[in-house]
Amino acid sequence: MSSDPNSLLRTISGAMNRSTLALALCLLTAVYLTLCVGSARDRIGDRVQIALPVVGLACSTMKNGARDYVLRFAGAMTVVHGLKNGLGETPLNMRPGGSDRGFPSGHTAASAYGASYLARECGSFVPWVGPVVVLSAGFVAGSRVESGHHDLVQVMAGALVGVAFDRAARNQRAKRRRRLSGLRWRRRVAGIPVLLRSHGVLPFPETRPT
């Protein structure tokens, strides 16, 4: 087997690319949330509802799926604002403070959309990505209720819209492609110790005499 160090680096880089991407996205989100500490709770929610879909867009761009991501997000926001405008001053559309355009919660829809995408695309490599982004979206929903901008029904409706537009009409071919891609990634990672030993970076395990 070739001992070209550039070949070794390319192989390791290819194996770890997705894991590194997922970790970088989580770190970006964590840094963003840290910068928000000290602000009012609803201000933090405002920023998180921007951070989640933006990080999702970055991830979709790296995975060559930005067009589909943007179209689905635009569809979700069209439905949200269509309902807000169409329902007028019906009780369902009234905010706790008395103004209208409350159903569904746009903040919750945006954060739920980004969280759903990140959990679906990154959760298979780094298991804790899913819980982190889902809890972040839940924080946004809770902050909207606590600050008096929406009631529970409105934020639940927003969450359903966001998740539905991310998950709906996902064809089986895309699912198979993601599964196969995950298998290839795991096989590459599993093969890294063998490559390192073959290039003399790691020693071969000692065999015990029988």
Coordinates of all heavy atoms in Angstrom, one line a residue, residues 16-30 122 125-126 128-129:
M16 N -13.6 12.2 8.1 CA -14.0 13.0 9.2 C -14.8 14.2 8.8 O -15.3 15.0 9.6 CB -12.8 13.4 10.0 CG -12.0 12.3 10.6 SD -13.0 11.2 11.6 CE -13.4 12.3 13.0
N17 N -14.9 14.5 7.5 CA -15.5 15.7 7.0 C -16.9 16.0 7.6 O -17.2 17.0 8.1 CB -15.6 15.7 5.5 CG -16.1 17.0 4.9 OD1 -15.7 18.0 5.3 ND2 -17.1 16.9 4.0
R18 N -17.8 15.0 7.5 CA -19.1 15.2 8.0 C -19.2 15.4 9.5 O -19.9 16.2 10.0 CB -20.0 14.0 7.6 CG -20.2 14.0 6.1 CD -21.1 12.9 5.7 NE -21.4 12.9 4.3 CZ -22.2 12.0 3.7 NH1 -22.8 11.1 4.4 NH2 -22.3 12.1 2.4
S19 N -18.4 14.6 10.2 CA -18.4 14.8 11.7 C -17.9 16.1 12.0 O -18.5 16.8 12.9 CB -17.5 13.7 12.3 OG -17.5 13.9 13.7
T20 N -16.9 16.6 11.4 CA -16.3 17.9 11.6 C -17.4 19.0 11.3 O -17.5 20.0 12.1 CB -15.1 18.2 10.8 OG1 -14.1 17.2 11.1 CG2 -14.5 19.5 11.1
L21 N -18.1 18.8 10.2 CA -19.1 19.8 9.9 C -20.2 19.9 10.9 O -20.6 21.0 11.4 CB -19.7 19.4 8.5 CG -21.0 20.2 8.1 CD1 -20.7 21.7 8.0 CD2 -21.6 19.6 6.8
A22 N -20.6 18.7 11.4 CA -21.7 18.7 12.4 C -21.2 19.4 13.7 O -22.0 20.1 14.3 CB -22.1 17.3 12.7
L23 N -20.0 19.0 14.1 CA -19.5 19.6 15.3 C -19.3 21.1 15.2 O -19.6 21.9 16.1 CB -18.1 19.0 15.7 CG -18.2 17.6 16.2 CD1 -16.8 16.9 16.2 CD2 -18.8 17.5 17.6
A24 N -18.9 21.6 14.0 CA -18.7 23.0 13.8 C -20.0 23.8 13.8 O -20.1 24.9 14.4 CB -18.0 23.3 12.4
L25 N -21.1 23.1 13.3 CA -22.4 23.8 13.3 C -22.9 23.9 14.8 O -23.5 24.9 15.2 CB -23.4 23.0 12.5 CG -23.1 23.0 11.0 CD1 -24.1 22.0 10.3 CD2 -23.3 24.4 10.4
C26 N -22.7 22.8 15.6 CA -23.1 22.9 17.0 C -22.3 23.9 17.7 O -22.8 24.6 18.6 CB -22.9 21.5 17.6 SG -24.1 20.3 17.0
L27 N -21.0 24.0 17.4 CA -20.2 25.0 18.1 C -20.6 26.4 17.8 O -20.7 27.3 18.6 CB -18.7 24.8 17.7 CG -17.7 25.8 18.3 CD1 -17.7 25.7 19.8 CD2 -16.3 25.5 17.8
L28 N -21.0 26.6 16.5 CA -21.4 28.0 16.1 C -22.7 28.3 16.8 O -22.9 29.5 17.3 CB -21.7 27.9 14.6 CG -22.3 29.2 14.0 CD1 -21.4 30.4 14.2 CD2 -22.6 29.0 12.5
T29 N -23.6 27.4 16.9 CA -24.9 27.6 17.7 C -24.6 27.9 19.1 O -25.2 28.8 19.7 CB -25.8 26.4 17.6 OG1 -26.1 26.1 16.2 CG2 -27.1 26.7 18.3
A30 N -23.7 27.1 19.7 CA -23.3 27.4 21.1 C -22.7 28.7 21.4 O -23.1 29.4 22.3 CB -22.4 26.3 21.6
C122 N -27.8 15.9 10.6 CA -26.6 15.8 11.4 C -26.7 14.9 12.6 O -25.7 14.4 13.1 CB -26.2 17.2 12.0 SG -25.9 18.4 10.7
F125 N -24.6 11.5 12.7 CA -23.1 11.5 12.9 C -22.8 11.8 14.4 O -22.0 11.2 15.0 CB -22.4 12.5 12.1 CG -22.9 12.7 10.7 CD1 -23.8 13.7 10.4 CD2 -22.6 11.9 9.7 CE1 -24.3 13.9 9.2 CE2 -23.1 12.1 8.4 CZ -23.9 13.1 8.2
V126 N -23.5 12.9 14.9 CA -23.2 13.3 16.3 C -24.6 13.2 17.0 O -25.4 14.1 16.8 CB -22.7 14.7 16.3 CG1 -22.3 15.1 17.7 CG2 -21.5 14.9 15.4
W128 N -25.8 13.9 19.8 CA -26.4 15.0 20.6 C -26.8 16.2 19.8 O -27.3 17.2 20.4 CB -25.5 15.3 21.8 CG -24.0 15.5 21.4 CD1 -23.1 14.6 21.4 CD2 -23.4 16.7 20.9 NE1 -21.9 15.1 21.0 CE2 -22.1 16.4 20.6 CE3 -23.9 18.0 20.6 CZ2 -21.2 17.3 20.1 CZ3 -23.0 18.9 20.0 CH2 -21.7 18.6 19.8
V129 N -26.6 16.2 18.5 CA -27.0 17.4 17.7 C -28.6 17.5 17.8 O -29.1 18.6 18.0 CB -26.6 17.2 16.3 CG1 -27.3 18.3 15.4 CG2 -25.1 17.4 16.1

